[in-house]
Amino acid sequence: GYPYWSFKGVTTNYTFEVGETKVTHYAKGCQDTGRNDLIIETPDGILKFKEIENIELFEIDLNNDGKKELYVCVFKNCEGKYRIYRIS
């Protein structure tokens, strides 16, 4: 296969209880950090993130209300940044 840094617009789709997600991966921004576009489609609407760093997506019911929330973790190791977004 091709090395990660040569990716140009590779898209991956994921399905979560909250809705559908689409991640488009682009070339690296720095040594260990990629650039990604993320689209989240829920019954309530569409949320778009443009050119964010590395992404981790997971779904869990942290508040025990019987509904899972989607957590979007965005991090950039080369600058020591880490953000968490909760989508419910």
Side-chain angles (χ1 to χ4, degrees):
Y2 295 101
Y4 177 78
W5 57 87
S6 68
F7 284 0
K8 293 185 176 141
V10 176
T11 300
T12 307
N13 298 304
Y14 302 97
T15 301
F16 294 96
E17 190 173 297
V18 170
E20 300 290 322
T21 64
K22 181 186 296 185
V23 179
T24 304
H25 311 278
Y26 298 99
K28 284 184 175 185
C30 65
Q31 185 66 20
D32 61 356
T33 301
R35 290 182 305 115
N36 303 280
D37 291 343
L38 171 63
I39 299 173
I40 302 170
E41 296 183 32
T42 71
D44 295 326
I46 297 174
L47 181 61
K48 296 180 182 181
F49 294 83
K50 289 288 284 175
E51 294 189 16
I52 56 177
E53 292 87 17
N54 294 340
I55 302 172
E56 291 179 342
L57 302 171
F58 69 94
E59 194 173 50
I60 191 168
D61 181 13
L62 284 180
N63 61 3
N64 294 320
D65 67 352
K67 297 179 188 176
K68 291 182 181 177
E69 301 87 28
L70 176 63
Y71 289 85
V72 178
C73 301
V74 179
F75 57 98
K76 189 171 185 178
N77 291 335
C78 58
E79 292 184 8
K81 294 181 180 178
Y82 198 92
R83 293 172 293 190
I84 301 173
Y85 300 94
R86 179 179 157 208
I87 314 297
S88 56

